[in-house]
PDB file of all heavy atoms in Angstrom:
ATOM      1  N   LYS A 211      -1.556   1.127  38.132  1.00  0.00           N
ATOM      2  CA  LYS A 211      -0.806   0.977  39.378  1.00  0.00           C
ATOM      3  C   LYS A 211       0.651   1.398  39.225  1.00  0.00           C
ATOM      4  O   LYS A 211       1.282   1.863  40.187  1.00  0.00           O
ATOM      5  CB  LYS A 211      -0.889  -0.462  39.868  1.00  0.00           C
ATOM      6  CG  LYS A 211      -2.262  -0.824  40.428  1.00  0.00           C
ATOM      7  CD  LYS A 211      -2.325  -2.270  40.880  1.00  0.00           C
ATOM      8  CE  LYS A 211      -3.678  -2.585  41.511  1.00  0.00           C
ATOM      9  NZ  LYS A 211      -3.799  -4.026  41.885  1.00  0.00           N
ATOM     10  N   ALA A 212       1.204   1.252  38.019  1.00  0.00           N
ATOM     11  CA  ALA A 212       2.596   1.642  37.784  1.00  0.00           C
ATOM     12  C   ALA A 212       2.750   3.143  37.610  1.00  0.00           C
ATOM     13  O   ALA A 212       3.861   3.680  37.703  1.00  0.00           O
ATOM     14  CB  ALA A 212       3.147   0.931  36.544  1.00  0.00           C
ATOM     15  N   SER A 213       1.640   3.846  37.374  1.00  0.00           N
ATOM     16  CA  SER A 213       1.700   5.293  37.187  1.00  0.00           C
ATOM     17  C   SER A 213       2.010   5.977  38.513  1.00  0.00           C
ATOM     18  O   SER A 213       1.363   5.689  39.529  1.00  0.00           O
ATOM     19  CB  SER A 213       0.372   5.813  36.631  1.00  0.00           C
ATOM     20  OG  SER A 213       0.354   7.230  36.622  1.00  0.00           O
ATOM     21  N   PRO A 214       2.967   6.912  38.537  1.00  0.00           N
ATOM     22  CA  PRO A 214       3.297   7.596  39.804  1.00  0.00           C
ATOM     23  C   PRO A 214       2.284   8.651  40.198  1.00  0.00           C
ATOM     24  O   PRO A 214       2.299   9.145  41.325  1.00  0.00           O
ATOM     25  CB  PRO A 214       4.660   8.230  39.495  1.00  0.00           C
ATOM     26  CG  PRO A 214       4.629   8.480  38.014  1.00  0.00           C
ATOM     27  CD  PRO A 214       3.846   7.338  37.433  1.00  0.00           C
ATOM     28  N   ASP A 215       1.381   9.000  39.275  1.00  0.00           N
ATOM     29  CA  ASP A 215       0.461  10.111  39.496  1.00  0.00           C
ATOM     30  C   ASP A 215      -0.955   9.575  39.652  1.00  0.00           C
ATOM     31  O   ASP A 215      -1.657   9.319  38.671  1.00  0.00           O
ATOM     32  CB  ASP A 215       0.549  11.076  38.306  1.00  0.00           C
ATOM     33  CG  ASP A 215      -0.147  12.402  38.596  1.00  0.00           C
ATOM     34  OD1 ASP A 215      -0.481  12.649  39.769  1.00  0.00           O
ATOM     35  OD2 ASP A 215      -0.347  13.175  37.638  1.00  0.00           O
ATOM     36  N   LYS A 216      -1.407   9.397  40.901  1.00  0.00           N
ATOM     37  CA  LYS A 216      -2.754   8.876  41.170  1.00  0.00           C
ATOM     38  C   LYS A 216      -3.388   9.643  42.337  1.00  0.00           C
ATOM     39  O   LYS A 216      -3.715   9.055  43.376  1.00  0.00           O
ATOM     40  CB  LYS A 216      -2.691   7.376  41.495  1.00  0.00           C
ATOM     41  CG  LYS A 216      -2.156   6.514  40.363  1.00  0.00           C
ATOM     42  CD  LYS A 216      -2.243   5.030  40.681  1.00  0.00           C
ATOM     43  CE  LYS A 216      -1.250   4.623  41.749  1.00  0.00           C
ATOM     44  NZ  LYS A 216       0.141   4.680  41.269  1.00  0.00           N
ATOM     45  N   PRO A 217      -3.564  10.945  42.223  1.00  0.00           N
ATOM     46  CA  PRO A 217      -4.130  11.719  43.344  1.00  0.00           C
ATOM     47  C   PRO A 217      -5.579  11.334  43.630  1.00  0.00           C
ATOM     48  O   PRO A 217      -6.387  11.190  42.712  1.00  0.00           O
ATOM     49  CB  PRO A 217      -4.026  13.168  42.862  1.00  0.00           C
ATOM     50  CG  PRO A 217      -3.991  13.070  41.367  1.00  0.00           C
ATOM     51  CD  PRO A 217      -3.274  11.801  41.056  1.00  0.00           C
ATOM     52  N   ALA A 218      -5.895  11.162  44.902  1.00  0.00           N
ATOM     53  CA  ALA A 218      -7.256  10.797  45.295  1.00  0.00           C
ATOM     54  C   ALA A 218      -8.248  11.849  44.808  1.00  0.00           C
ATOM     55  O   ALA A 218      -8.029  13.044  44.933  1.00  0.00           O
ATOM     56  CB  ALA A 218      -7.336  10.659  46.813  1.00  0.00           C
ATOM     57  N   GLY A 219      -9.330  11.368  44.208  1.00  0.00           N
ATOM     58  CA  GLY A 219     -10.385  12.263  43.760  1.00  0.00           C
ATOM     59  C   GLY A 219     -10.181  12.866  42.393  1.00  0.00           C
ATOM     60  O   GLY A 219     -11.052  13.600  41.910  1.00  0.00           O
ATOM     61  N   ALA A 220      -9.051  12.615  41.742  1.00  0.00           N
ATOM     62  CA  ALA A 220      -8.793  13.198  40.413  1.00  0.00           C
ATOM     63  C   ALA A 220      -9.865  12.735  39.430  1.00  0.00           C
ATOM     64  O   ALA A 220     -10.212  11.550  39.382  1.00  0.00           O
ATOM     65  CB  ALA A 220      -7.412  12.773  39.922  1.00  0.00           C
ATOM     66  N   TRP A 221     -10.367  13.672  38.632  1.00  0.00           N
ATOM     67  CA  TRP A 221     -11.472  13.338  37.724  1.00  0.00           C
ATOM     68  C   TRP A 221     -11.074  12.294  36.695  1.00  0.00           C
ATOM     69  O   TRP A 221     -11.931  11.547  36.182  1.00  0.00           O
ATOM     70  CB  TRP A 221     -11.994  14.604  37.035  1.00  0.00           C
ATOM     71  CG  TRP A 221     -11.035  15.230  36.038  1.00  0.00           C
ATOM     72  CD1 TRP A 221     -10.223  16.299  36.267  1.00  0.00           C
ATOM     73  CD2 TRP A 221     -10.805  14.834  34.680  1.00  0.00           C
ATOM     74  NE1 TRP A 221      -9.492  16.591  35.143  1.00  0.00           N
ATOM     75  CE2 TRP A 221      -9.834  15.712  34.145  1.00  0.00           C
ATOM     76  CE3 TRP A 221     -11.318  13.832  33.862  1.00  0.00           C
ATOM     77  CZ2 TRP A 221      -9.369  15.606  32.831  1.00  0.00           C
ATOM     78  CZ3 TRP A 221     -10.849  13.721  32.546  1.00  0.00           C
ATOM     79  CH2 TRP A 221      -9.897  14.606  32.047  1.00  0.00           C
ATOM     80  N   TRP A 222      -9.801  12.212  36.366  1.00  0.00           N
ATOM     81  CA  TRP A 222      -9.334  11.307  35.315  1.00  0.00           C
ATOM     82  C   TRP A 222      -8.904   9.946  35.846  1.00  0.00           C
ATOM     83  O   TRP A 222      -8.436   9.098  35.083  1.00  0.00           O
ATOM     84  CB  TRP A 222      -8.157  11.945  34.564  1.00  0.00           C
ATOM     85  CG  TRP A 222      -7.138  12.610  35.447  1.00  0.00           C
ATOM     86  CD1 TRP A 222      -7.066  13.931  35.771  1.00  0.00           C
ATOM     87  CD2 TRP A 222      -6.064  11.970  36.138  1.00  0.00           C
ATOM     88  NE1 TRP A 222      -6.009  14.160  36.614  1.00  0.00           N
ATOM     89  CE2 TRP A 222      -5.365  12.980  36.864  1.00  0.00           C
ATOM     90  CE3 TRP A 222      -5.598  10.655  36.219  1.00  0.00           C
ATOM     91  CZ2 TRP A 222      -4.251  12.707  37.640  1.00  0.00           C
ATOM     92  CZ3 TRP A 222      -4.493  10.374  36.996  1.00  0.00           C
ATOM     93  CH2 TRP A 222      -3.825  11.392  37.703  1.00  0.00           C
TER      94      TRP A 222
END
Side-chain angles (χ1 to χ4, degrees):
K211 287 179 177 176
S213 172
D215 192 12
K216 298 186 289 291
W221 69 260
W222 44 264

